[in-house]
Amino acid sequence: MSERIPVIEVKGIKKGFYGVPVLKGIDMKLYEGECISLIGENGAGKSTLIKILCGVYTKDEGDIFLYGEKQNITSAEDGKKLGISVIYQELSLFPDMRVYENMFTNSELHKTKKDGFLKPLDIKAMKEKSKEILHDKLNVDIDVNAKVKDIPFSQRQMVEIGRAVLADSKIIFMDEPTTALEDKEKKTLFRIIKDLKAQNKTIIFISHHLDEIFENCERTIVLRDGYAVLEKETANLTQQELVKAMIGKNVDNYYPKVAYQPGEKILSVNNLSSGKVFQNISFDVHKKEVVGIIGLAGCGKYEIVRALFGAHAYDSGEIIKDGKKIKNRTINEAINNKFAFIPAERKTESIFPNREVSWNTTIAGIDHINTKKGLSLSKEKEITADYIENLKIKVTNQKQPIASLSGGNQQKVILARWFLTDPDILILEEPTRGIDVNAKTEVYNLIMEYLAQDKGVILVSSEEEEILGICDRIVVIHNGKTTGIINRSDIDIEGLKTITKFGKAADQGGM
Amino acid sequence: MKKSKMTIKDILSINGMGVMIAFIVLCIALAISTDSFLTAGNIMVVLRQSVWVGIISIGMTFIIATGEIDLSIGSVIGFTGMCCAAMMKNYSMNIYLAMVLTLLIGAVIGFLNAVLVSKLKIASFIATLATMQIFRGLIYVYTQGVPIFGLNYPEFQFIAQGYVGFLPVPIIIVIILTIIFWYVMYRTKYGRNVLTIGSNIDAAKLVGINVGRIKTSVYIIMGVLGAIAGMLLTARSEAAVVEAGSGYETDAIAAVVIAGTSMAGGNANLLGCLLGAVLMTTIRNGLNILKVDSSWHQVVIGIVIVLALIFDKFAHQDKE
């Protein structure tokens, strides 16, 4: 191993912003044909390191070597020329353009030898080449003529990977590539990673999901506080060791589940149906109980809870809360009926990015600060300060825009927003998506504390571990129908994964 | 922790500081270079001429805060001004009744814009571009290009030309409107909802805000303010001319933007936009006093807007 020349080697990379050091001296070597996982909590310096390597940021100190040669990467252009590609979480494709056009953005093929802005494009050749890469090299079936906005997210990601392959990148960074993927799509991605490795590419895989790291990566590098604190063959690594390295202390259990004795029934959903999206959904929620809803993408799980909150139409069925029939046809009605809803897409559906933390805290329960003389800003300040203290939200100032907080702290502000309305039913979609391990545990703790006040929680998630880790009962949705309601004690993770995927338990005949 | 003092940089990066500085510099320059700029009479002239754009820039701030735009407001000023003149002159209507009806017409036009934007989901830029054409066109259709002259009604003239004490009535109107709408914007649930929609419309729906209703109301406010400006303009010139209010929509948008309000919505600087309106009139006034050919006025105003925006950009750069 030591004989090999690393594809890329970094020595003593340092970088700070406004005098605050983010990277404090990183050393690492990456070799051809391997997949390395780079992990760390948010703020550990992962994205800064990537951005330095691909040229978006310039390092303050340290050296970068490619195949043993010292390189000076000062712009994204440089990074691209040296064969470094990044597949970002938020893809950088143009939705209104076609797949093949996206593959060749700014490196279009021309009919003439010379290229130039005004030379005629060789569309046929671009389509052929796109097909060759996507169909033959990556082995994915994507219509190269389709507009990117019309193809599913997983395929868009493949297009982006195809673009990196087309550019003949040696090193491909994948920044949380599985966040929005289904199991089947993840499998495809993992196969592609394997193929790329076989083609001697180097993959740097960033993920919060430890099982994916164990499945795909030969080596793991853990960043914490700007240092690489651990580097090890993944095969010799335990999960505990990893988590400990990430957060710097031992964590026995990141699901702080408290199994309360469930109280009386607080909500009944009976035969709720909405066209083809979901049919005859029935379940109950009791006080001090977390009901989990799980299912594959497109199974209708999000639409079901949105229907309960008045954010999605339903045609028939009834919702009974505290023994009374309610409709919840509009969001306002649902809020008045003491429902609260925290959507999965924090960025696009939860936060008011340019507005203050205090604003974001009080917006749903704004009547708490409304007085005869108009809005009371001092009351708002008081309420916000209370939540910042009680929920341990890390802010420098309650007037700072919420977009400047980390994902975990943003989510806590959103929790505060709805706690203020004192809901009886708290509905959460993917409550810990994109937030780090520490913050995850804190969010679960807050949910548990809330539950203790005789409340009910409905939690929708596509992660079996989370559902099993936090819910008392689990509603499994398959193709818009309930396939089972399971007590958490009656199933293990493998069983839950099977039933989620296939809609029935394995011993009943698998697929 | 020690409380940090405000640095000059912090002060400079306050929203709308660019327009403030531009305004002060301009005033000092004009005061030094001319004798007549810094006289009570001239200041009143500047303020009076700022009234129309000032009033609609209040409404424009609300519209832009929700993330929309209204290009029709200049035509609305002309159209409502004409309606008011026609009701008084051609139909000999009671002055006060005519004024109330004019406000109502403004509200209806605002509602019309709102229907296009929030019910039919037409992009507001296009929808109000269309209504801008329609209402300007209707003025031509009704007047055949001939102004409605001779509006010698003292009660009507009073709103534009009268005084209460030493203060001209139109300036009192602007002050009252400013106080009301400042309160509405910053101290009511309604104002919060307006800004919240502009900040993130999908998230706004999910906290129970009725987005359609708020947008509709904002356009109605705009229509009514347009009618007020239209009547003040007509009462001032004692005539309704076909091109009245033309181009005021861009002046109002410029006033809002140089005050540091983002076109993307979600924030608002109501007092700043009034200053922006005064700034533009001051430039015109100054150029007049300096006897600069009027063809150059547009050029200079354009340059000042660009400078104010560049300043804001630099002042905010470090905050990223």
Side-chain angles (χ1 to χ4, degrees), chain B:
Chain B
M1 268 200 358
K2 221 176 77 177
K3 213 174 170 184
S4 60
K5 266 192 184 164
M6 243 190 163
T7 62
I8 291 181
K9 199 150 216 168
D10 289 335
I11 294 170
L12 289 180
S13 66
I14 294 171
N15 255 354
M17 202 35 86
V19 58
M20 182 70 100
I21 290 174
F23 184 70
I24 293 169
V25 170
L26 187 72
C27 287
I28 292 172
L30 287 172
I32 293 170
S33 58
T34 67
D35 298 331
S36 48
F37 177 74
L38 209 60
T39 59
N42 189 52
I43 289 171
M44 276 306 168
V45 168
V46 169
L47 289 179
R48 277 163 167 276
Q49 283 171 347
S50 308
V51 160
W52 311 296
V53 171
I55 288 175
I56 60 167
S57 70
I58 293 174
M60 197 65 89
T61 302
F62 274 76
I63 300 250
I64 289 178
T66 67
E68 302 292 347
I69 194 82
D70 185 355
L71 297 179
S72 72
I73 195 64
S75 295
V76 174
I77 289 177
F79 184 77
T80 50
M82 179 203 77
C83 288
C84 186
M87 284 188 279
M88 291 174 185
K89 185 85 185 171
N90 301 356
Y91 299 96
S92 314
M93 199 180 275
N94 173 286
I95 303 298
Y96 296 107
L97 180 62
M99 292 202 284
V100 171
L101 282 179
T102 306
L103 292 177
L104 211 62
I105 291 169
V108 170
I109 294 173
F111 181 73
L112 219 79
N113 277 331
V115 168
L116 297 178
V117 173
S118 70
K119 272 271 175 294
L120 301 175
K121 313 271 180 224
I122 302 172
S124 56
F125 188 92
I126 303 297
T128 57
L129 188 67
T131 50
M132 163 180 158
Q133 306 281 0
I134 291 171
F135 288 106
R136 183 65 61 193
L138 285 175
I139 300 173
Y140 279 93
V141 169
Y142 182 79
T143 63
Q144 295 295 309
V146 183
I148 302 172
F149 279 124
L151 301 166
N152 301 318
Y153 312 107
E155 302 100 316
F156 185 53
Q157 286 161 326
F158 177 75
I159 64 167
Q161 302 172 18
Y163 282 84
V164 173
F166 68 98
L167 273 176
V169 175
I171 289 171
I172 295 173
I173 291 176
V174 173
I175 291 170
I176 291 171
L177 289 174
T178 306
I179 293 169
I180 292 173
F181 284 103
W182 186 89
Y183 177 80
V184 169
M185 179 69 96
Y186 301 109
R187 289 290 181 276
T188 66
K189 189 172 159 181
Y190 176 81
R192 276 274 160 113
N193 286 357
V194 166
L195 287 161
T196 302
I197 288 172
S199 177
N200 184 345
I201 188 164
D202 291 320
K205 286 176 192 159
L206 286 176
V207 294
I209 294 174
N210 189 331
V211 169
R213 199 185 301 166
I214 299 281
K215 279 196 181 173
T216 304
S217 63
V218 167
Y219 274 101
I220 291 174
I221 287 175
M222 185 54 150
V224 171
L225 290 174
I228 294 174
M231 285 191 288
L232 288 177
L233 188 59
T234 306
R236 170 95 181 146
S237 53
E238 295 171 20
V241 298
V242 286
E243 282 303 316
S246 162
Y248 283 20
E249 66 280 344
T250 46
D251 277 10
I253 293 168
V256 172
V257 171
I258 59 180
T261 298
S262 148
M263 291 295 279
N267 58 44
N269 183 352
L270 201 65
L271 298 179
C273 84
L274 287 168
L275 195 59
V278 175
L279 172 71
M280 282 188 289
T281 326
T282 310
I283 297 167
R284 288 210 177 91
N285 177 267
L287 294 171
N288 273 330
I289 297 175
L290 293 169
K291 299 199 169 59
V292 175
D293 183 66
S294 65
S295 326
W296 281 98
H297 291 191
Q298 301 286 354
V299 179
V300 176
I301 287 177
I303 290 171
V304 171
I305 292 172
V306 170
L307 289 179
L309 289 177
I310 290 174
F311 178 87
D312 270 348
K313 195 111 206 162
F314 275 111
H316 283 275
Q317 216 164 38
D318 269 10
K319 280 186 148 186
E320 297 294 315

Side-chain angles (χ1 to χ4, degrees), chain A residues 235-260:
Chain A
N236 304 329
L237 205 55
T238 64
Q239 192 144 333
Q240 276 78 5
E241 206 177 341
L242 250 183
V243 173
K244 193 184 163 196
M246 277 168 74
I247 64 179
K249 61 181 184 209
N250 268 314
V251 170
D252 306 323
N253 185 5
Y254 23 81
Y255 297 112
K257 172 66 185 168
V258 187
Y260 299 105

